[in-house]
Amino acid sequence: MPYYLYSITADKEPELLQAFDGYRQAKQAATAMRVELPAGENRLVRIIFAQDPSEAVELLKTKRERQPSEDD
């Protein structure tokens, strides 16, 4: 399964940027894109591991419950 790199805007709409076969390449690309974002821009760059882009979008839009930590 590939790693997908998405840009998520303030209105929560994910935009597919690239797909990668390996995590290391996806992580490097995401880090580089985050550094290039202008200060104050309300956008996230996220990596998601999924079978295809439609599953990746579903996973990105699924709200997850906060996991309790040891400090809670």
Side-chain angles (χ1 to χ4, degrees):
M1 285 195 305
Y3 293 88
Y4 294 100
L5 191 61
Y6 277 89
S7 172
I8 303 173
T9 59
D11 61 355
K12 307 284 187 208
E13 277 305 311
E15 173 190 344
L16 178 61
L17 301 174
Q18 287 181 285
F20 297 91
D21 290 327
Y23 177 75
R24 179 171 282 172
Q25 297 91 354
K27 174 85 169 138
Q28 290 171 345
T31 302
M33 287 181 186
R34 289 175 183 139
V35 168
E36 292 175 7
L37 285 176
E41 184 159 343
N42 198 8
R43 185 190 318 182
L44 299 173
V45 176
R46 299 276 313 270
I47 301 171
I48 191 82
F49 184 65
Q51 290 186 5
D52 56 47
S54 61
E55 180 186 23
V57 169
E58 283 297 315
L59 291 170
L60 287 169
K61 289 185 173 185
T62 302
K63 187 165 183 152
R64 297 186 295 170
E65 294 288 325
R66 181 180 175 279
Q67 296 293 320
S69 66
E70 293 178 7
D71 296 335
D72 287 344

